[in-house]
Amino acid sequence: AQNSGDDTSANASVSDGEETTYGVTISNKDDLTAKWYTDSNQRSLTLVLTPEANALAELTAGNLTVTSSAPTVVSVTGLAINPLAAGKATITVTYHNATDTVEVSVVDGSAKARYGTAHEGTAEDPFTNEDALIVAKHADYEQQTYYVKGIVHSFYNSPGSRTDGMVAFYLTPATEGGEKFEIYKCFKADGSALTDDDIWVGGEATAYGSFTKYNSQYETSSAVLVSCTGDRKSVV
């Protein structure tokens, strides 16, 4: 980050007979201390250096260091910090003899802990129709990719109904008349189109993708079909 402005931790040193005051401020502490989950993206430090300097260049030169008090909770890569486990860590930035710190917290990012779902949304423990709806509607959802498994209720775009090969289907809700999650824009892992041999109404389908809302429908923004098993019924 480019650096200018006041700093909160200035110190004096002597270089070539002249006094130089060094300072460093972590200027985006509000962003760094916002709610953060173990499966969230890394965050980057924004630094203000005195005298004004390029933080990455100073890091490379060895004049600036970034450390974590708990590297198994939050690790450091350059000017980025990465959430690894639930807990707290103090991030310390040292520029010559000036320092600034920020304490960050990481909370359990598992789906059950984060959203209150019955399943984790992994390949081993995929979401149900109801789980997918809970996550898609949740204010803290961050476009992670999850696995969803359920009985194919009906098709929005059945195999062969579109020239682009896109297939979209609804999952069967746990209760009759309940809200249905849609697996939208679904293809095979290699990008090829699904056929009637790959998926059918009444089959138990597993797919993965990230979630979104289009108009009033909660759905995948795109999805990859993992498998479809079980009894076949006519496509509707």
Side-chain angles (χ1 to χ4, degrees):
Q2 297 298 321
N3 310 284
S4 62
D6 297 333
D7 63 81
T8 59
S9 53
N11 293 275
S13 66
V14 177
S15 177
D16 297 329
E18 295 183 3
E19 184 178 273
T20 301
T21 300
Y22 292 104
V24 59
T25 298
I26 303 170
S27 62
N28 63 330
K29 290 183 181 181
D30 287 346
D31 294 333
L32 298 174
T33 56
K35 185 177 288 185
W36 205 18
Y37 296 96
T38 52
D39 60 348
S40 293
N41 296 328
Q42 67 178 19
R43 293 177 174 177
S44 296
L45 300 170
T46 302
L47 305 179
V48 176
L49 303 183
T50 304
E52 183 176 351
N54 182 281
L56 284 174
E58 293 301 296
L59 188 71
T60 301
N63 298 324
L64 180 112
T65 60
V66 183
T67 60
S68 170
S69 65
T72 58
V73 174
V74 177
S75 65
V76 174
T77 306
L79 296 178
I81 55 176
N82 311 276
L84 301 179
K88 294 183 178 182
T90 298
I91 305 303
T92 300
V93 180
T94 303
Y95 181 49
H96 291 277
N97 56 353
T99 62
D100 196 10
T101 63
V102 60
E103 184 180 76
V104 297
S105 298
V106 182
V107 297
D108 187 352
S110 66
K112 289 181 179 179
R114 186 170 182 175
Y115 306 115
T117 55
H119 302 275
E120 288 293 357
T122 61
E124 298 76 20
D125 188 26
F127 286 153
T128 63
N129 175 80
E130 286 64 37
D131 287 331
L133 289 169
I134 289 171
V135 174
K137 294 178 181 180
H138 202 285
D140 288 341
Y141 175 61
E142 295 181 338
Q143 297 301 308
Q144 293 97 331
T145 295
Y146 290 111
Y147 286 77
V148 186
K149 182 178 183 179
I151 303 299
V152 179
H153 178 276
S154 55
F155 285 98
Y156 178 72
N157 296 117
S158 60
S161 64
R162 288 174 59 108
T163 57
D164 61 8
M166 187 190 77
V167 171
F169 60 95
Y170 297 101
L171 300 177
T172 302
T175 57
E176 186 174 354
E179 187 175 3
K180 296 185 289 291
F181 188 80
E182 182 181 357
I183 306 297
Y184 180 73
K185 199 176 182 181
C186 192
F187 293 89
K188 296 179 182 179
D190 62 4
S192 60
L194 304 178
T195 70
D196 291 334
D197 291 329
D198 298 311
I199 190 167
W200 54 91
V201 168
E204 187 174 57
T206 302
Y208 62 87
S210 60
F211 302 163
T212 190
K213 181 184 181 183
Y214 183 74
N215 293 330
S216 60
Q217 177 62 52
Y218 290 95
E219 59 189 34
T220 56
S221 54
S222 62
V224 173
L225 184 73
V226 176
S227 65
C228 184
T229 60
D231 296 336
R232 295 173 181 265
K233 297 182 180 179
S234 60
V235 174
V236 296

